């Protein structure tokens, strides 16, 4: 005999083994009640969360490579990394940490913004205003959801 209290309700989507939610014929984010979904980094509960998490983990891996790569290479190959570069006279490891890490962070921020915009477009998410205020000006809302004056 099975316990009815452990079964999922019939209106709940079927969870795939990889953590995603079985497609219900539409990838429209408006069909999903995100407030009732558990946010779990190891097992995302919606296709949007799964795709967004893939972008986040890819960016994290690239960031770790940019930040820890020069330091690790200096420990592994100190001769190459501490030799002064011909034109600027600084050691390679100094150049990579001082110039490469900030430039890498800037490029990663640009990459993330582009990927997130593409993901929002794929799922039909818009970030515009929802209603117009007095005299045709866009209505502003507070971050807690309340109205501003």
């Amino acid at each position: 005999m099975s316990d009815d209290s452990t079964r999922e309700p019939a209106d709940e989507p079927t969870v795939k083994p990889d953590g995603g939610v079985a497609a219900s014929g539409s990838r429209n984010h408006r069909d999903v009640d995100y407030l009732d979904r558990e946010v779990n980094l190891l097992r995302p509960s919606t296709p949007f969360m799964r795709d967004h998490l893939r972008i986040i983990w890819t960016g994290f891996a690239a960031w770790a490579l940019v930040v820890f790569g020069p330091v690790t290479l200096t420990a592994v190959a100190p001769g190459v990394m501490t030799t002064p570069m011909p034109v600027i006279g600084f050691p390679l490891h100094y150049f990579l940490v001082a110039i490469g890490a900030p430039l890498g962070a800037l490029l990663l921020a640009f990459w993330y913004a582009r990927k997130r915009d593409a993901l929002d477009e794929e799922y039909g998410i818009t970030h515009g205003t929802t209603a117009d205020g007095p005299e045709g000006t866009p209505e502003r809302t507070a971050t807690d959801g309340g109205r501003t004056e």
Side-chain angles (χ1 to χ4, degrees):
M1 252 172 122
S2 69
D3 184 13
D4 288 336
S5 63
T6 60
R7 287 191 300 154
E8 293 184 15
D11 60 345
E12 285 292 314
T14 305
V15 177
K16 293 181 183 178
D18 68 349
V21 177
S24 60
S26 172
R27 290 190 67 161
N28 190 346
H29 74 97
R30 297 181 207 302
D31 297 340
V32 178
D33 185 9
Y34 288 100
L35 297 177
D36 289 338
R37 297 288 180 192
E38 177 183 352
V39 176
N40 185 340
L41 291 179
L42 302 176
R43 192 172 176 185
S45 62
T46 65
F48 174 78
M49 289 180 193
R50 185 177 60 248
D51 292 345
H52 188 221
L53 193 59
R54 185 176 302 120
I55 293 170
I56 290 172
W57 282 116
T58 303
F60 176 74
W63 171 83
L65 184 66
V66 166
V67 170
F68 296 112
V71 177
T72 305
L73 283 175
T74 303
V76 172
V80 174
M81 296 297 286
T82 58
T83 303
M85 293 173 45
V87 175
I88 61 175
F90 288 109
L92 181 59
H93 75 283
Y94 180 82
F95 180 77
L96 289 176
V97 171
I99 303 297
L103 182 62
L106 184 64
L107 292 174
L108 279 171
F110 178 75
W111 171 83
Y112 174 78
R114 301 281 294 180
K115 294 296 278 186
R116 180 60 197 259
D117 286 346
L119 184 66
D120 288 350
E121 186 176 323
E122 178 183 343
Y123 283 91
I125 297 172
T126 59
H127 297 283
T129 58
T130 57
D132 286 339
E135 301 173 10
T137 60
E139 182 179 334
R140 296 175 46 206
T141 58
T143 56
D144 65 352
R147 294 175 56 106
T148 59
E149 299 287 327

